Amino acid sequence: MPYCTVEAARKAGVTGADAVVAAWITAAQEQIERYTQQLFEPTDRVVVADVGVDGLVILPRRVRQITAVMPVLEADDGPSIPSSAWRVTSSDVLGQVDAVHLAWGGWDDLVVGAESYNGGWLGLWERWGAEQVKVAGTFGYAEVPLLVQQACALLAADMQAKAAPSDADAEQDSSLQVDDEGNNVAIEDSDDAPSSEPVSAASSTGSTQVDALLSGYLNRGPSLIGGI
């Protein structure tokens, strides 16, 4: 789903047919994700994160639901461990963080290596020696925040303006072109959904105004590990 509506983009200054406006929204949305390194809609993703003290795994993205947790081993990924061996907390709940808490205590006699006489879950993790886990699930915000919606509309207008033929210094977007009458026309199929693949980071959206709106949503620093 787009981060803002066609109507909102038009109010911000985007011109052209609905398909053209939608193409600029998509381009703005991808740039916002590149800049913030965030997912503003629930998105299926796999992330790799470090196992910290007492089995705490801080997730680099806002978590909605976890479907599988696997130790990252030197030879290959380890087996998916049952949900009884971990629990999830989300920043959607006041005072909590996005994290997986691995069971350092307890055991499961039905899991080979995690039996009570083998030291339980802690014994199994120590034998694995896994310093990272691969976490599969759904990440992102439950809904696009209002500031992000506003930023998307403003950025779409800014990108279109910079791509206009009158701006000789502007960098043209390779996914868009301008026809003989000066109208922006999308080359790519506007019905295609935005790519779910991770994007490389960008130092700015290209608009200082949009950067300011998004300042509270930056996913930066050593905690950012990213998705695969």
Side-chain angles (χ1 to χ4, degrees), residues 127-142:
R127 287 189 294 277
W128 272 337
E131 298 181 354
Q132 292 184 317
V133 291
K134 182 181 288 186
V135 181
T138 304
F139 298 84
Y141 284 69

Side-chain angles (χ1 to χ4, degrees), residues 57-83:
V57 180
I58 300 295
L59 297 171
R61 300 185 185 279
R62 182 170 294 224
V63 64
R64 312 227 58 80
Q65 180 182 11
I66 298 301
T67 55
V69 177
M70 298 156 282
V72 177
L73 306 179
E74 185 174 333
D76 200 355
D77 291 336
S80 178
I81 60 177
S83 58

Side-chain angles (χ1 to χ4, degrees), residues 3-14 21 25 149-150 153-154:
Y3 284 1
C4 69
T5 63
V6 169
E7 291 75 16
R10 288 191 189 282
K11 288 181 180 179
V14 183
V21 177
I25 291 173
Q149 295 179 39
Q150 295 173 347
L154 289 172

